[in-house]
Amino acid sequence: RGSCASHLLKVSTQWLKEGAHGWRLDVPNEVDAINPDFWPEFRKVVKRQDPDSYIVGEIWTDARQWLNGTKFDAVMNYPVRSAALEFIVKGGIEGQQFARDLSRQLATYPEPALRVQFNLLGSHDTARIRTIAGGDLRKVRLAQTFLFAWPGAPVIYYGDEIGLEGGKDPDCRRTYPWNRPELIDTQTLSHVQTLGKLRAQEPALRRGTTRFLVSEAKLSAFVREPE
């Protein structure tokens, strides 16, 4: 176990030397179960090589134990994804529950971690949001708007910016339709581009505080305010 850990630590710094700026770590909880000292040591080694490198863990549930400053900078924020899909796309929960689910994370995650959470609506392990929405791209764009307004780092899984379809893994890993313009929804693409520009222009969307204004059965609204 020691020689394996040593090899992986060398690999982590070698890729940083080659130009990488961070690591996305697959099923890190399984590594932690075998060697609980590995991720703290991994963080020390990586941050010593590049203090600005970004360490993201694939954790699907509450991640407070991983975000205490000794392991990861962020995790793949599946709880936020779940809340967004249930309320905005599926209509499976009401606005009050949506606000409670999101507020729980705001209240329990450290502020530095909240600002850099890996917020997503889909990944290589999940069905694509357009498919989950039954093809309703209005719901897709509304969910994307939420993603860019919520605290953290908005992450678009390749193809979701053009409304690509795909069911559960492996169907969600379809190749990008470079030569099939009929599969590209230009309205969704333009929408995502606009969201990216707004996020870059408005400091409150990147670093501002978050406050819910109203949460009702079919309505939930929050505001981002400059610090």
PDB file of all heavy atoms in Angstrom, residues 55-88:
ATOM      1  N   ILE A  55      -8.834  20.730  -6.551  1.00  0.00           N
ATOM      2  CA  ILE A  55      -9.006  19.315  -6.236  1.00  0.00           C
ATOM      3  C   ILE A  55     -10.490  19.027  -6.038  1.00  0.00           C
ATOM      4  O   ILE A  55     -11.121  19.549  -5.112  1.00  0.00           O
ATOM      5  CB  ILE A  55      -8.219  18.925  -4.970  1.00  0.00           C
ATOM      6  CG1 ILE A  55      -6.742  19.300  -5.124  1.00  0.00           C
ATOM      7  CG2 ILE A  55      -8.365  17.433  -4.700  1.00  0.00           C
ATOM      8  CD1 ILE A  55      -5.912  19.050  -3.872  1.00  0.00           C
ATOM      9  N   VAL A  56     -11.036  18.188  -6.916  1.00  0.00           N
ATOM     10  CA  VAL A  56     -12.465  17.868  -6.899  1.00  0.00           C
ATOM     11  C   VAL A  56     -12.656  16.374  -6.667  1.00  0.00           C
ATOM     12  O   VAL A  56     -12.081  15.552  -7.383  1.00  0.00           O
ATOM     13  CB  VAL A  56     -13.138  18.252  -8.231  1.00  0.00           C
ATOM     14  CG1 VAL A  56     -14.623  17.951  -8.183  1.00  0.00           C
ATOM     15  CG2 VAL A  56     -12.896  19.711  -8.550  1.00  0.00           C
ATOM     16  N   GLY A  57     -13.481  16.041  -5.690  1.00  0.00           N
ATOM     17  CA  GLY A  57     -13.765  14.641  -5.403  1.00  0.00           C
ATOM     18  C   GLY A  57     -15.143  14.237  -5.899  1.00  0.00           C
ATOM     19  O   GLY A  57     -16.088  15.017  -5.846  1.00  0.00           O
ATOM     20  N   GLU A  58     -15.258  13.007  -6.387  1.00  0.00           N
ATOM     21  CA  GLU A  58     -16.559  12.489  -6.810  1.00  0.00           C
ATOM     22  C   GLU A  58     -17.292  11.927  -5.586  1.00  0.00           C
ATOM     23  O   GLU A  58     -17.229  10.736  -5.300  1.00  0.00           O
ATOM     24  CB  GLU A  58     -16.395  11.403  -7.872  1.00  0.00           C
ATOM     25  CG  GLU A  58     -17.737  10.923  -8.415  1.00  0.00           C
ATOM     26  CD  GLU A  58     -17.673   9.527  -9.003  1.00  0.00           C
ATOM     27  OE1 GLU A  58     -16.697   8.807  -8.729  1.00  0.00           O
ATOM     28  OE2 GLU A  58     -18.606   9.150  -9.713  1.00  0.00           O
ATOM     29  N   ILE A  59     -17.974  12.807  -4.893  1.00  0.00           N
ATOM     30  CA  ILE A  59     -18.780  12.424  -3.739  1.00  0.00           C
ATOM     31  C   ILE A  59     -20.230  12.773  -4.066  1.00  0.00           C
ATOM     32  O   ILE A  59     -20.540  13.907  -4.416  1.00  0.00           O
ATOM     33  CB  ILE A  59     -18.321  13.175  -2.474  1.00  0.00           C
ATOM     34  CG1 ILE A  59     -16.848  12.884  -2.183  1.00  0.00           C
ATOM     35  CG2 ILE A  59     -19.195  12.804  -1.290  1.00  0.00           C
ATOM     36  CD1 ILE A  59     -16.543  11.438  -1.829  1.00  0.00           C
ATOM     37  N   TRP A  60     -21.134  11.808  -3.917  1.00  0.00           N
ATOM     38  CA  TRP A  60     -22.516  11.992  -4.357  1.00  0.00           C
ATOM     39  C   TRP A  60     -23.433  12.503  -3.249  1.00  0.00           C
ATOM     40  O   TRP A  60     -24.561  12.916  -3.514  1.00  0.00           O
ATOM     41  CB  TRP A  60     -23.066  10.669  -4.891  1.00  0.00           C
ATOM     42  CG  TRP A  60     -22.521  10.287  -6.231  1.00  0.00           C
ATOM     43  CD1 TRP A  60     -21.219   9.975  -6.526  1.00  0.00           C
ATOM     44  CD2 TRP A  60     -23.247  10.167  -7.461  1.00  0.00           C
ATOM     45  NE1 TRP A  60     -21.089   9.669  -7.867  1.00  0.00           N
ATOM     46  CE2 TRP A  60     -22.324   9.769  -8.455  1.00  0.00           C
ATOM     47  CE3 TRP A  60     -24.587  10.346  -7.810  1.00  0.00           C
ATOM     48  CZ2 TRP A  60     -22.705   9.556  -9.780  1.00  0.00           C
ATOM     49  CZ3 TRP A  60     -24.968  10.122  -9.125  1.00  0.00           C
ATOM     50  CH2 TRP A  60     -24.038   9.740 -10.091  1.00  0.00           C
ATOM     51  N   THR A  61     -22.995  12.445  -2.013  1.00  0.00           N
ATOM     52  CA  THR A  61     -23.863  12.782  -0.886  1.00  0.00           C
ATOM     53  C   THR A  61     -23.300  13.986  -0.132  1.00  0.00           C
ATOM     54  O   THR A  61     -22.414  14.686  -0.628  1.00  0.00           O
ATOM     55  CB  THR A  61     -23.996  11.575   0.049  1.00  0.00           C
ATOM     56  OG1 THR A  61     -22.673  11.151   0.449  1.00  0.00           O
ATOM     57  CG2 THR A  61     -24.682  10.410  -0.657  1.00  0.00           C
ATOM     58  N   ASP A  62     -23.799  14.224   1.070  1.00  0.00           N
ATOM     59  CA  ASP A  62     -23.294  15.300   1.918  1.00  0.00           C
ATOM     60  C   ASP A  62     -21.781  15.170   2.043  1.00  0.00           C
ATOM     61  O   ASP A  62     -21.257  14.113   2.383  1.00  0.00           O
ATOM     62  CB  ASP A  62     -23.958  15.220   3.291  1.00  0.00           C
ATOM     63  CG  ASP A  62     -23.592  16.398   4.175  1.00  0.00           C
ATOM     64  OD1 ASP A  62     -22.396  16.538   4.508  1.00  0.00           O
ATOM     65  OD2 ASP A  62     -24.487  17.173   4.539  1.00  0.00           O
ATOM     66  N   ALA A  63     -21.074  16.268   1.785  1.00  0.00           N
ATOM     67  CA  ALA A  63     -19.614  16.187   1.651  1.00  0.00           C
ATOM     68  C   ALA A  63     -18.859  16.983   2.699  1.00  0.00           C
ATOM     69  O   ALA A  63     -17.681  17.287   2.519  1.00  0.00           O
ATOM     70  CB  ALA A  63     -19.202  16.656   0.261  1.00  0.00           C
ATOM     71  N   ARG A  64     -19.499  17.316   3.814  1.00  0.00           N
ATOM     72  CA  ARG A  64     -18.839  18.170   4.799  1.00  0.00           C
ATOM     73  C   ARG A  64     -17.508  17.606   5.277  1.00  0.00           C
ATOM     74  O   ARG A  64     -16.539  18.344   5.446  1.00  0.00           O
ATOM     75  CB  ARG A  64     -19.776  18.404   5.987  1.00  0.00           C
ATOM     76  CG  ARG A  64     -20.829  19.454   5.739  1.00  0.00           C
ATOM     77  CD  ARG A  64     -21.819  19.544   6.879  1.00  0.00           C
ATOM     78  NE  ARG A  64     -22.779  18.445   6.836  1.00  0.00           N
ATOM     79  CZ  ARG A  64     -23.750  18.272   7.711  1.00  0.00           C
ATOM     80  NH1 ARG A  64     -23.877  19.111   8.725  1.00  0.00           N
ATOM     81  NH2 ARG A  64     -24.608  17.268   7.592  1.00  0.00           N
ATOM     82  N   GLN A  65     -17.432  16.303   5.472  1.00  0.00           N
ATOM     83  CA  GLN A  65     -16.194  15.717   5.976  1.00  0.00           C
ATOM     84  C   GLN A  65     -15.050  15.815   4.969  1.00  0.00           C
ATOM     85  O   GLN A  65     -13.885  15.709   5.335  1.00  0.00           O
ATOM     86  CB  GLN A  65     -16.426  14.245   6.333  1.00  0.00           C
ATOM     87  CG  GLN A  65     -16.756  13.353   5.137  1.00  0.00           C
ATOM     88  CD  GLN A  65     -16.677  11.889   5.469  1.00  0.00           C
ATOM     89  OE1 GLN A  65     -15.694  11.428   6.047  1.00  0.00           O
ATOM     90  NE2 GLN A  65     -17.721  11.141   5.133  1.00  0.00           N
ATOM     91  N   TRP A  66     -15.398  16.029   3.687  1.00  0.00           N
ATOM     92  CA  TRP A  66     -14.370  16.126   2.655  1.00  0.00           C
ATOM     93  C   TRP A  66     -13.942  17.564   2.387  1.00  0.00           C
ATOM     94  O   TRP A  66     -12.984  17.794   1.643  1.00  0.00           O
ATOM     95  CB  TRP A  66     -14.898  15.527   1.344  1.00  0.00           C
ATOM     96  CG  TRP A  66     -15.308  14.097   1.470  1.00  0.00           C
ATOM     97  CD1 TRP A  66     -16.571  13.621   1.735  1.00  0.00           C
ATOM     98  CD2 TRP A  66     -14.476  12.946   1.361  1.00  0.00           C
ATOM     99  NE1 TRP A  66     -16.567  12.258   1.791  1.00  0.00           N
ATOM    100  CE2 TRP A  66     -15.289  11.811   1.567  1.00  0.00           C
ATOM    101  CE3 TRP A  66     -13.114  12.760   1.109  1.00  0.00           C
ATOM    102  CZ2 TRP A  66     -14.787  10.516   1.526  1.00  0.00           C
ATOM    103  CZ3 TRP A  66     -12.622  11.470   1.060  1.00  0.00           C
ATOM    104  CH2 TRP A  66     -13.448  10.369   1.269  1.00  0.00           C
ATOM    105  N   LEU A  67     -14.641  18.527   2.985  1.00  0.00           N
ATOM    106  CA  LEU A  67     -14.419  19.936   2.666  1.00  0.00           C
ATOM    107  C   LEU A  67     -13.976  20.743   3.874  1.00  0.00           C
ATOM    108  O   LEU A  67     -14.270  21.931   3.984  1.00  0.00           O
ATOM    109  CB  LEU A  67     -15.710  20.533   2.082  1.00  0.00           C
ATOM    110  CG  LEU A  67     -16.224  19.874   0.805  1.00  0.00           C
ATOM    111  CD1 LEU A  67     -17.596  20.419   0.433  1.00  0.00           C
ATOM    112  CD2 LEU A  67     -15.237  20.060  -0.344  1.00  0.00           C
ATOM    113  N   ASN A  68     -13.270  20.087   4.785  1.00  0.00           N
ATOM    114  CA  ASN A  68     -12.841  20.767   6.014  1.00  0.00           C
ATOM    115  C   ASN A  68     -11.443  21.368   5.897  1.00  0.00           C
ATOM    116  O   ASN A  68     -10.841  21.776   6.894  1.00  0.00           O
ATOM    117  CB  ASN A  68     -12.896  19.804   7.194  1.00  0.00           C
ATOM    118  CG  ASN A  68     -11.997  18.591   7.007  1.00  0.00           C
ATOM    119  OD1 ASN A  68     -11.195  18.537   6.070  1.00  0.00           O
ATOM    120  ND2 ASN A  68     -12.131  17.605   7.879  1.00  0.00           N
ATOM    121  N   GLY A  69     -10.920  21.422   4.668  1.00  0.00           N
ATOM    122  CA  GLY A  69      -9.610  22.021   4.454  1.00  0.00           C
ATOM    123  C   GLY A  69      -8.458  21.042   4.481  1.00  0.00           C
ATOM    124  O   GLY A  69      -7.304  21.446   4.281  1.00  0.00           O
ATOM    125  N   THR A  70      -8.743  19.754   4.686  1.00  0.00           N
ATOM    126  CA  THR A  70      -7.668  18.770   4.747  1.00  0.00           C
ATOM    127  C   THR A  70      -7.658  17.819   3.558  1.00  0.00           C
ATOM    128  O   THR A  70      -6.685  17.076   3.373  1.00  0.00           O
ATOM    129  CB  THR A  70      -7.776  17.923   6.024  1.00  0.00           C
ATOM    130  OG1 THR A  70      -8.986  17.135   5.979  1.00  0.00           O
ATOM    131  CG2 THR A  70      -7.787  18.805   7.260  1.00  0.00           C
ATOM    132  N   LYS A  71      -8.723  17.854   2.726  1.00  0.00           N
ATOM    133  CA  LYS A  71      -8.797  16.908   1.614  1.00  0.00           C
ATOM    134  C   LYS A  71      -9.055  17.614   0.284  1.00  0.00           C
ATOM    135  O   LYS A  71      -8.137  17.851  -0.484  1.00  0.00           O
ATOM    136  CB  LYS A  71      -9.866  15.848   1.907  1.00  0.00           C
ATOM    137  CG  LYS A  71      -9.529  14.993   3.129  1.00  0.00           C
ATOM    138  CD  LYS A  71     -10.630  14.003   3.467  1.00  0.00           C
ATOM    139  CE  LYS A  71     -10.259  13.198   4.700  1.00  0.00           C
ATOM    140  NZ  LYS A  71     -11.342  12.262   5.106  1.00  0.00           N
ATOM    141  N   PHE A  72     -10.310  17.972   0.012  1.00  0.00           N
ATOM    142  CA  PHE A  72     -10.655  18.501  -1.305  1.00  0.00           C
ATOM    143  C   PHE A  72     -11.045  19.971  -1.233  1.00  0.00           C
ATOM    144  O   PHE A  72     -11.446  20.472  -0.180  1.00  0.00           O
ATOM    145  CB  PHE A  72     -11.815  17.711  -1.916  1.00  0.00           C
ATOM    146  CG  PHE A  72     -11.605  16.224  -1.935  1.00  0.00           C
ATOM    147  CD1 PHE A  72     -12.679  15.361  -1.763  1.00  0.00           C
ATOM    148  CD2 PHE A  72     -10.349  15.686  -2.117  1.00  0.00           C
ATOM    149  CE1 PHE A  72     -12.491  13.992  -1.776  1.00  0.00           C
ATOM    150  CE2 PHE A  72     -10.140  14.315  -2.127  1.00  0.00           C
ATOM    151  CZ  PHE A  72     -11.232  13.459  -1.955  1.00  0.00           C
ATOM    152  N   ASP A  73     -10.953  20.640  -2.385  1.00  0.00           N
ATOM    153  CA  ASP A  73     -11.476  22.004  -2.501  1.00  0.00           C
ATOM    154  C   ASP A  73     -12.979  21.976  -2.756  1.00  0.00           C
ATOM    155  O   ASP A  73     -13.721  22.848  -2.298  1.00  0.00           O
ATOM    156  CB  ASP A  73     -10.792  22.751  -3.648  1.00  0.00           C
ATOM    157  CG  ASP A  73      -9.298  22.908  -3.429  1.00  0.00           C
ATOM    158  OD1 ASP A  73      -8.909  23.304  -2.314  1.00  0.00           O
ATOM    159  OD2 ASP A  73      -8.527  22.618  -4.359  1.00  0.00           O
ATOM    160  N   ALA A  74     -13.417  20.986  -3.518  1.00  0.00           N
ATOM    161  CA  ALA A  74     -14.819  20.889  -3.909  1.00  0.00           C
ATOM    162  C   ALA A  74     -15.160  19.433  -4.181  1.00  0.00           C
ATOM    163  O   ALA A  74     -14.280  18.574  -4.266  1.00  0.00           O
ATOM    164  CB  ALA A  74     -15.084  21.734  -5.153  1.00  0.00           C
ATOM    165  N   VAL A  75     -16.456  19.184  -4.343  1.00  0.00           N
ATOM    166  CA  VAL A  75     -16.930  17.875  -4.774  1.00  0.00           C
ATOM    167  C   VAL A  75     -17.913  18.085  -5.917  1.00  0.00           C
ATOM    168  O   VAL A  75     -18.423  19.184  -6.140  1.00  0.00           O
ATOM    169  CB  VAL A  75     -17.620  17.103  -3.633  1.00  0.00           C
ATOM    170  CG1 VAL A  75     -16.635  16.833  -2.495  1.00  0.00           C
ATOM    171  CG2 VAL A  75     -18.848  17.852  -3.125  1.00  0.00           C
ATOM    172  N   MET A  76     -18.201  17.023  -6.635  1.00  0.00           N
ATOM    173  CA  MET A  76     -19.241  17.067  -7.655  1.00  0.00           C
ATOM    174  C   MET A  76     -20.568  17.208  -6.919  1.00  0.00           C
ATOM    175  O   MET A  76     -20.980  16.306  -6.196  1.00  0.00           O
ATOM    176  CB  MET A  76     -19.181  15.817  -8.530  1.00  0.00           C
ATOM    177  CG  MET A  76     -17.871  15.680  -9.283  1.00  0.00           C
ATOM    178  SD  MET A  76     -17.799  14.197 -10.307  1.00  0.00           S
ATOM    179  CE  MET A  76     -18.904  14.642 -11.644  1.00  0.00           C
ATOM    180  N   ASN A  77     -21.230  18.336  -7.108  1.00  0.00           N
ATOM    181  CA  ASN A  77     -22.331  18.718  -6.233  1.00  0.00           C
ATOM    182  C   ASN A  77     -23.652  18.069  -6.656  1.00  0.00           C
ATOM    183  O   ASN A  77     -24.590  18.746  -7.109  1.00  0.00           O
ATOM    184  CB  ASN A  77     -22.457  20.240  -6.198  1.00  0.00           C
ATOM    185  CG  ASN A  77     -23.086  20.725  -4.911  1.00  0.00           C
ATOM    186  OD1 ASN A  77     -23.674  19.956  -4.156  1.00  0.00           O
ATOM    187  ND2 ASN A  77     -22.966  22.011  -4.653  1.00  0.00           N
ATOM    188  N   TYR A  78     -23.755  16.764  -6.462  1.00  0.00           N
ATOM    189  CA  TYR A  78     -24.959  16.040  -6.845  1.00  0.00           C
ATOM    190  C   TYR A  78     -26.181  16.419  -6.011  1.00  0.00           C
ATOM    191  O   TYR A  78     -27.304  16.387  -6.536  1.00  0.00           O
ATOM    192  CB  TYR A  78     -24.704  14.538  -6.799  1.00  0.00           C
ATOM    193  CG  TYR A  78     -23.936  14.034  -8.003  1.00  0.00           C
ATOM    194  CD1 TYR A  78     -22.582  13.722  -7.921  1.00  0.00           C
ATOM    195  CD2 TYR A  78     -24.561  13.879  -9.233  1.00  0.00           C
ATOM    196  CE1 TYR A  78     -21.870  13.274  -9.026  1.00  0.00           C
ATOM    197  CE2 TYR A  78     -23.868  13.430 -10.352  1.00  0.00           C
ATOM    198  CZ  TYR A  78     -22.522  13.123 -10.243  1.00  0.00           C
ATOM    199  OH  TYR A  78     -21.839  12.678 -11.352  1.00  0.00           O
ATOM    200  N   PRO A  79     -26.065  16.774  -4.722  1.00  0.00           N
ATOM    201  CA  PRO A  79     -27.256  17.223  -3.992  1.00  0.00           C
ATOM    202  C   PRO A  79     -27.912  18.450  -4.604  1.00  0.00           C
ATOM    203  O   PRO A  79     -29.143  18.537  -4.670  1.00  0.00           O
ATOM    204  CB  PRO A  79     -26.709  17.501  -2.585  1.00  0.00           C
ATOM    205  CG  PRO A  79     -25.569  16.553  -2.435  1.00  0.00           C
ATOM    206  CD  PRO A  79     -24.926  16.542  -3.799  1.00  0.00           C
ATOM    207  N   VAL A  80     -27.119  19.420  -5.070  1.00  0.00           N
ATOM    208  CA  VAL A  80     -27.687  20.590  -5.738  1.00  0.00           C
ATOM    209  C   VAL A  80     -28.315  20.174  -7.066  1.00  0.00           C
ATOM    210  O   VAL A  80     -29.388  20.660  -7.443  1.00  0.00           O
ATOM    211  CB  VAL A  80     -26.617  21.675  -5.940  1.00  0.00           C
ATOM    212  CG1 VAL A  80     -27.042  22.688  -6.990  1.00  0.00           C
ATOM    213  CG2 VAL A  80     -26.362  22.387  -4.615  1.00  0.00           C
ATOM    214  N   ARG A  81     -27.659  19.288  -7.794  1.00  0.00           N
ATOM    215  CA  ARG A  81     -28.241  18.768  -9.043  1.00  0.00           C
ATOM    216  C   ARG A  81     -29.589  18.125  -8.774  1.00  0.00           C
ATOM    217  O   ARG A  81     -30.570  18.375  -9.493  1.00  0.00           O
ATOM    218  CB  ARG A  81     -27.303  17.747  -9.679  1.00  0.00           C
ATOM    219  CG  ARG A  81     -27.924  17.005 -10.867  1.00  0.00           C
ATOM    220  CD  ARG A  81     -27.006  15.910 -11.391  1.00  0.00           C
ATOM    221  NE  ARG A  81     -27.607  15.219 -12.526  1.00  0.00           N
ATOM    222  CZ  ARG A  81     -28.345  14.115 -12.414  1.00  0.00           C
ATOM    223  NH1 ARG A  81     -28.565  13.572 -11.224  1.00  0.00           N
ATOM    224  NH2 ARG A  81     -28.861  13.542 -13.502  1.00  0.00           N
ATOM    225  N   SER A  82     -29.651  17.292  -7.760  1.00  0.00           N
ATOM    226  CA  SER A  82     -30.891  16.595  -7.450  1.00  0.00           C
ATOM    227  C   SER A  82     -32.021  17.567  -7.134  1.00  0.00           C
ATOM    228  O   SER A  82     -33.151  17.418  -7.634  1.00  0.00           O
ATOM    229  CB  SER A  82     -30.676  15.652  -6.259  1.00  0.00           C
ATOM    230  OG  SER A  82     -31.877  14.997  -5.901  1.00  0.00           O
ATOM    231  N   ALA A  83     -31.723  18.592  -6.330  1.00  0.00           N
ATOM    232  CA  ALA A  83     -32.741  19.579  -5.980  1.00  0.00           C
ATOM    233  C   ALA A  83     -33.224  20.321  -7.221  1.00  0.00           C
ATOM    234  O   ALA A  83     -34.429  20.541  -7.405  1.00  0.00           O
ATOM    235  CB  ALA A  83     -32.185  20.562  -4.959  1.00  0.00           C
ATOM    236  N   ALA A  84     -32.285  20.709  -8.094  1.00  0.00           N
ATOM    237  CA  ALA A  84     -32.649  21.448  -9.303  1.00  0.00           C
ATOM    238  C   ALA A  84     -33.505  20.609 -10.248  1.00  0.00           C
ATOM    239  O   ALA A  84     -34.503  21.083 -10.800  1.00  0.00           O
ATOM    240  CB  ALA A  84     -31.395  21.936 -10.022  1.00  0.00           C
ATOM    241  N   LEU A  85     -33.118  19.360 -10.433  1.00  0.00           N
ATOM    242  CA  LEU A  85     -33.881  18.506 -11.331  1.00  0.00           C
ATOM    243  C   LEU A  85     -35.269  18.213 -10.779  1.00  0.00           C
ATOM    244  O   LEU A  85     -36.261  18.219 -11.523  1.00  0.00           O
ATOM    245  CB  LEU A  85     -33.131  17.193 -11.584  1.00  0.00           C
ATOM    246  CG  LEU A  85     -31.805  17.291 -12.351  1.00  0.00           C
ATOM    247  CD1 LEU A  85     -31.262  15.901 -12.633  1.00  0.00           C
ATOM    248  CD2 LEU A  85     -31.971  18.067 -13.651  1.00  0.00           C
ATOM    249  N   GLU A  86     -35.349  17.949  -9.481  1.00  0.00           N
ATOM    250  CA  GLU A  86     -36.641  17.615  -8.890  1.00  0.00           C
ATOM    251  C   GLU A  86     -37.617  18.786  -8.963  1.00  0.00           C
ATOM    252  O   GLU A  86     -38.800  18.592  -9.262  1.00  0.00           O
ATOM    253  CB  GLU A  86     -36.462  17.165  -7.440  1.00  0.00           C
ATOM    254  CG  GLU A  86     -35.869  15.783  -7.275  1.00  0.00           C
ATOM    255  CD  GLU A  86     -36.762  14.705  -7.879  1.00  0.00           C
ATOM    256  OE1 GLU A  86     -37.989  14.830  -7.785  1.00  0.00           O
ATOM    257  OE2 GLU A  86     -36.217  13.747  -8.461  1.00  0.00           O
ATOM    258  N   PHE A  87     -37.140  19.997  -8.702  1.00  0.00           N
ATOM    259  CA  PHE A  87     -38.040  21.147  -8.683  1.00  0.00           C
ATOM    260  C   PHE A  87     -38.259  21.748 -10.068  1.00  0.00           C
ATOM    261  O   PHE A  87     -39.394  21.967 -10.493  1.00  0.00           O
ATOM    262  CB  PHE A  87     -37.499  22.225  -7.738  1.00  0.00           C
ATOM    263  CG  PHE A  87     -38.347  23.461  -7.676  1.00  0.00           C
ATOM    264  CD1 PHE A  87     -39.661  23.400  -7.243  1.00  0.00           C
ATOM    265  CD2 PHE A  87     -37.833  24.689  -8.070  1.00  0.00           C
ATOM    266  CE1 PHE A  87     -40.458  24.548  -7.200  1.00  0.00           C
ATOM    267  CE2 PHE A  87     -38.615  25.845  -8.023  1.00  0.00           C
ATOM    268  CZ  PHE A  87     -39.927  25.761  -7.587  1.00  0.00           C
ATOM    269  N   ILE A  88     -37.183  22.013 -10.780  1.00  0.00           N
ATOM    270  CA  ILE A  88     -37.271  22.748 -12.037  1.00  0.00           C
ATOM    271  C   ILE A  88     -37.681  21.856 -13.201  1.00  0.00           C
ATOM    272  O   ILE A  88     -38.489  22.252 -14.048  1.00  0.00           O
ATOM    273  CB  ILE A  88     -35.927  23.437 -12.346  1.00  0.00           C
ATOM    274  CG1 ILE A  88     -35.559  24.418 -11.235  1.00  0.00           C
ATOM    275  CG2 ILE A  88     -35.964  24.142 -13.696  1.00  0.00           C
ATOM    276  CD1 ILE A  88     -34.163  25.009 -11.361  1.00  0.00           C
TER     277      ILE A  88
END
